[in-house]
Amino acid sequence: MNIIDELEWRDAINQQTDAEGLRGLTSQKAVSLYCGVDPTGDSMHIGHLIPFMVLKRFQLAGHRPVILIGGATGTIGDPSGRTTERSLQTLEQIQANVEALAAQLTKLFLTEDTSQAPMRIVNNYDWTHKINVIEFLRDYGKNFSINSMLAKDVVASRLDSGISFTEFSYQILQSLDFLHLFKEEDVQLQIGGSDQWGNITSGLDLIRKKEGAEAKAFGLTIPLMLKADGTKFGKTAGGAVWLDPNKTTPYEFYQFWANTDDRDVVKYLKYFTFLSKERIDELAEKVQTEPHKREAQKTLAEEMTRFVHGGDLLEQAKRITDALFSGDIKALTADEIEQGFKEMPTFEAAPEAKNIVNWLVDLKIEPSKRQAREDITKGAIYLNGERVSDLELEVSASHAIGGRFVIIRKGKKNYSLVKIV
């Protein structure tokens, strides 16, 4: 299957500048293509993954991915999707972000499979910082019509609230990137989110003005990803879902995908996984016939966690999930408990031994000694997964898993994390 046909089946194309031309080109040769990200932070989140999943599909199909990290454009700020100006960062912070994003993207695109093209990471600061303001205005600005720039959605949407010349000039810089990569890296295709259409077409216009009307260059954008309830994909009550395991733990990452709505899971399987059409059709059938088993969600969570974090951290996320479901807390390490109970009510206790009733009341896990005794007598209190029946039990640091944590469960699902300090 041609890569364009596959993307269409996966509902991964929003707009193309020349669908038949691009299909023909990708059928004839291995194409160099690029996708960019600005270093506005030190980690990507899963929203950033949307265009890069398409870039990865091109790589798997034998095409050559070029990843652009915007060390220059990141100093300015892309107005796309914004109603206000971005806050400018220091050059030192931007450089630190560039290095962090490069490490994340290398992990996603590095391959030992000789049938796949190696990826290349470039930084637009390397060629942009050499251009002085006179060159910028004469050699590039002269090729852009203010009327055309104002008509682009990304600019037009900001005219009422206001846009600075700095952000207004962003599309010129991105166009310059496409021209540079077309000439120096033989890049013929730029891909991006649906909000990048104006920037991409500006780049194509610049290439044809500079290199001739017959220059073969193309643009492709990815649909806006919305959940079935109409809200933006990738956002949770706790904020963004990050690729950095220190910001979003692998367990939390796994749970995000595992909790996908039945109405969205097949769409996500098609878009975010590399499973075959036959396997996805099989899982789609199970969503209809056996939704309670949530096999599609589990498969999605496994595929995405393996892709972003690797097999070892996937297994860790599954261990935490299984332990929380079964109540077998002692099967977990202290680090795994820290991940799995990150959002649970957390308390601190001294390492010295104390009677279980007093201990629970002092921590305010129980409202009174009477209630604590009643819950223990009824078998409703569990310490590290084991039911407590002894009212005289002395709780101390010896009960802490890894010397750090004691897990109290009250009833079936009411967990508390106690840190021994």
Side-chain angles (χ1 to χ4, degrees):
M1 184 187 295
N2 178 275
I3 180 63
I4 302 302
D5 294 325
E6 180 181 357
L7 293 178
E8 287 179 345
W9 171 74
R10 292 181 182 272
D11 298 321
I13 297 177
N14 182 51
Q15 291 173 287
Q16 301 178 70
T17 53
D18 178 0
E20 291 309 309
L22 184 56
R23 180 181 280 102
L25 183 69
T26 53
S27 297
Q28 295 166 9
K29 58 180 272 191
V31 175
S32 293
L33 70 156
Y34 95 96
C35 181
V37 61
D38 279 340
T40 53
D42 60 3
S43 174
M44 292 168 59
H45 54 69
I46 58 175
H48 291 122
L49 270 184
I50 293 173
F52 283 104
M53 296 305 294
V54 171
L55 190 68
K56 183 68 178 180
R57 292 191 196 286
F58 272 93
Q59 182 184 34
L60 293 174
H63 301 283
R64 296 188 293 268
V66 176
I67 297 167
L68 184 147
I69 300 180
T73 45
T75 66
I76 290 173
D78 184 356
S80 303
R82 303 275 301 187
T83 57
T84 58
E85 293 274 326
R86 293 180 185 272
S87 299
L88 298 181
Q89 300 183 82
T90 66
L91 293 179
E92 291 76 15
Q93 182 60 59
I94 290 171
Q95 180 56 34
N97 294 344
V98 166
E99 294 170 4
L101 297 190
Q104 284 187 343
L105 287 159
T106 297
K107 183 179 178 182
L108 296 181
F109 283 85
L110 195 63
T111 177
E112 296 179 359
D113 186 345
T114 56
S115 68
Q116 296 177 24
M119 61 89 185
R120 176 163 161 71
I121 294 180
V122 297
N123 183 343
N124 60 14
Y125 182 81
D126 293 340
W127 57 83
T128 304
H129 83 280
K130 300 173 184 178
I131 302 171
N132 65 41
V133 67
I134 301 300
E135 290 175 306
F136 177 74
L137 293 174
R138 284 180 60 89
D139 296 345
Y140 301 105
K142 192 71 174 176
N143 293 281
F144 289 81
S145 160
I146 289 293
N147 291 342
S148 296
M149 293 177 73
L150 289 172
K152 301 289 185 183
D153 288 344
V154 66
V155 174
S157 64
R158 288 281 297 277
L159 292 180
D160 289 337
S161 59
I163 183 170
S164 69
F165 175 76
T166 298
E167 288 198 358
F168 181 69
S169 66
Y170 186 93
Q171 63 180 278
I172 300 179
L173 289 182
Q174 187 166 323
S175 300
L176 193 161
D177 290 342
F178 201 173
L179 174 64
H180 174 87
L181 293 176
F182 179 84
K183 293 169 62 176
E184 304 299 328
E185 303 281 350
D186 192 31
V187 167
Q188 292 181 269
L189 171 64
Q190 181 184 358
I191 65 175
S194 58
D195 61 349
Q196 293 299 310
W197 182 250
N199 291 330
I200 291 172
T201 54
S202 291
L204 292 170
D205 290 341
L206 181 62
I207 288 172
R208 285 167 186 142
K209 287 176 181 176
K210 288 287 193 178
E211 302 299 309
E214 300 305 313
K216 286 191 175 181
F218 303 84
L220 182 152
T221 62
I222 288 84
L224 177 66
M225 187 76 67
L226 295 176
K227 295 191 288 187
D229 62 8
T231 59
K232 192 173 181 180
F233 164 80
K235 296 293 185 181
T236 68
V241 179
W242 301 97
L243 305 195
D244 184 341
N246 295 314
K247 292 177 179 287
T248 298
T249 68
Y251 166 75
E252 291 173 310
F253 189 85
Y254 178 92
Q255 287 299 315
F256 170 82
W257 299 102
N259 289 321
T260 298
D261 191 303
D262 284 349
R263 296 171 294 173
D264 290 320
V265 68
V266 175
K267 176 173 69 176
Y268 293 175
L269 283 166
K270 290 169 69 174
Y271 193 88
F272 289 102
T273 77
F274 304 102
L275 298 173
S276 67
K277 181 179 186 302
E278 292 73 21
R279 177 58 176 149
I280 292 174
D281 287 344
E282 178 186 328
L283 290 167
E285 177 66 20
K286 292 188 176 183
V287 172
Q288 298 301 318
T289 59
E290 300 176 318
H292 59 285
K293 292 186 177 180
R294 298 186 69 77
E295 184 175 345
Q297 283 87 346
K298 291 175 184 176
T299 302
L300 174 64
E302 289 178 4
E303 292 294 316
M304 287 308 300
T305 307
R306 183 184 293 109
F307 176 62
V308 172
H309 293 299
D312 290 345
L313 292 182
L314 165 61
E315 291 307 314
Q316 182 186 74
K318 290 170 67 177
R319 278 198 306 274
I320 297 171
T321 300
D322 292 343
L324 290 177
F325 180 78
S326 66
D328 186 16
I329 303 302
K330 284 190 173 180
L332 300 177
T333 66
D335 287 342
E336 290 169 345
I337 285 173
E338 193 167 31
Q339 279 196 55
F341 289 84
K342 184 178 178 182
E343 301 302 323
M344 304 287 185
T346 302
F347 306 88
E348 293 184 353
E352 291 77 22
K354 182 178 286 190
N355 174 263
I356 181 70
V357 172
N358 296 330
W359 190 77
L360 292 171
V361 173
D362 290 349
L363 291 176
K364 295 184 171 53
I365 294 174
E366 288 281 20
S368 66
K369 292 182 180 180
R370 181 194 62 77
Q371 187 64 56
R373 292 192 190 95
E374 182 178 325
D375 286 339
I376 292 171
T377 302
K378 288 181 177 179
I381 299 295
Y382 293 77
L383 189 152
N384 295 338
E386 296 182 356
R387 181 181 279 116
V388 177
S389 57
D390 183 5
L391 290 169
E392 303 304 319
L393 174 69
E394 295 285 309
V395 183
S396 68
S398 64
H399 291 94
I401 296 173
R404 297 164 61 192
F405 303 115
V406 175
I407 305 300
I408 295 295
R409 192 179 99 208
K410 184 177 175 181
K412 289 186 177 181
K413 295 183 178 179
N414 190 0
Y415 283 98
S416 296
L417 172 67
V418 182
K419 294 181 178 181
I420 302 300
V421 295

